[in-house]
Every structure is written in C-alpha cells, then in structure tokens.
Amino acid sequence: MTDDPDTSLLGRTPGLDEEHFVHDGLITKHPVRAMALAVLRPLPGQLLWDLGTGAGSVAVEWCRTDPSCRAIGVERRADRAANARANASALTLPGQFEVIDADLAEGLPEMPAPDAVFIGGGATRELAEACRQVLAPGGRFVIHGVTIEAESLLAELHAQWGGELMRVGVETADHIGRLHGWKPARTVIGWSWTK
C-alpha cells in the first residue's frame, strides 16, 4: 500500500488500484470491484455486509462513496481481517467500516440488517439463503466467484431466483520479452439480484 498523505485526493469513484490496499494478493481487482459497486448502488446512510471480506476492498469503496455509508466485513482468517482493519483505518472515516472475526460456515453473526450484501468468494447455498432472507425489499445482493463450483452455485441461484448472471474477463498489457501482449486475470462469475 502506498502512503497516501490525503486519501481524499483518491476521489470517491470506485475502482481504486490495488496498490492502495494492504492485501495478500487475493483481492477483488479494481475493474471488477467497480462493476460490483455499480450493482450494489451505495446510497447515503446505507449498510453493506461484505462477507468473506478479505482485504475489505469492496467495503472500503462502499464507504468512500458517502461519509454516511457504513460497512461490516466478516472474515475468518485473522491475517486478512487485520488487512481489512488496516485498510479501513487508512481509507475510510472512523467507525465507517467494522470488521468481525468469524467463520461464516458456522452461520451469520448478529449484525444490523443490511441494505446490500457482497460475497466475494466462498458462497454457499445456505449463506445465500440466509442473506436473501435478511434483505429488505429493494436490497441488493452480489456474489462473485472464480471456481467451477462457484459458477455452478450462481447458475442455480440465477435459475431459482432470477437476477443477472455474467462472466467477466479482464486482460492487462504485459511484457513478452521486448514486446507486449495480453495477460488474462481469472474469469469472474458474477450474480446480482435485487429483492
């Protein structure tokens, strides 16, 4: 992460480069994160659940859209939860983004009802159903995955509940010796749904 003397100079538009975050390499990449935030549609005063928050990049970007937006991230790995807390401290206002250490396989912890939910990996049918139940009408739900198992789950959710299902591939220019070529990132499967 770079030392940003004034993070307000980064603006509020989602899609901050990964260099601004403390992370272990597993982070929602900035073009995909910007698309997720477009579907999550943060509104002033609203709360996001970022489940399996990792570095907390989606929650951070949610909070940066408006000073009154809040997020709760849930992360089972202590090292990733520490990264999310560091990012919250560096990139959001105090109290905007709370990180809870918990394993979602054991169920959702007690949290205020969300206006939107993001799961960046590790989704299960049980977790999706629990999130679907707590969302109020108009609540937005986005799940991303990169595995074949995630793609199967999201196709099932799409068939059962509707919403939008998409696959996104991003390629960036990279060196091939003296020349340049395209280096693909893992394809992301995304499902979004509004209650």
Side-chain angles (χ1 to χ4, degrees):
M1 183 173 106
T2 59
D3 288 328
D4 295 311
D6 183 355
T7 60
S8 67
L9 296 176
L10 298 175
R12 292 184 179 185
T13 303
L16 288 177
D17 194 273
E18 288 73 54
E19 73 180 18
H20 298 290
F21 295 91
V22 177
H23 63 89
D24 61 3
L26 291 177
I27 184 172
T28 303
K29 304 303 187 268
H30 64 278
V32 175
R33 190 176 338 116
M35 288 189 305
L37 268 290
V39 178
L40 289 166
R41 291 188 327 275
L43 295 170
Q46 291 198 333
L47 174 66
L48 170 74
W49 285 2
D50 185 354
L51 305 180
T53 197
S57 62
V58 171
V60 163
E61 298 256 32
W62 170 278
C63 291
R64 291 178 62 81
T65 63
D66 188 88
S68 66
C69 284
R70 295 179 307 117
I72 298 174
V74 180
E75 178 56 54
R76 68 178 174 86
R77 285 188 40 178
D79 58 332
R80 290 186 178 155
N83 288 345
R85 286 187 184 96
N87 292 325
S89 176
L91 296 166
T92 67
L93 298 173
Q96 263 191 306
F97 176 22
E98 174 188 359
V99 180
I100 297 173
D101 295 83
D103 188 342
L104 293 167
E106 299 169 7
L108 287 169
E110 284 288 321
M111 300 183 290
D115 298 290
V117 176
F118 177 76
I119 303 174
T124 63
R125 175 170 284 288
E126 295 76 22
L127 182 58
E129 183 61 50
C131 292
R132 183 175 181 251
Q133 294 302 318
V134 298
L135 278 171
R140 286 89 59 208
F141 192 7
V142 174
I143 302 176
H144 283 179
V146 295
T147 65
I148 293 168
E149 293 79 6
E151 184 167 356
S152 295
L153 171 64
L154 298 184
E156 289 173 18
L157 296 178
H158 179 255
Q160 184 178 1
W161 299 338
E164 184 176 16
L165 185 65
M166 72 171 109
R167 292 176 70 196
V168 178
V170 176
E171 299 181 10
T172 55
D174 195 16
H175 290 283
I176 303 176
R178 296 180 294 112
L179 305 174
H180 294 85
W182 295 106
K183 180 179 177 182
R186 289 194 184 273
T187 299
V188 174
I189 301 95
W191 173 73
S192 58
W193 176 80
T194 302
K195 189 166 185 178

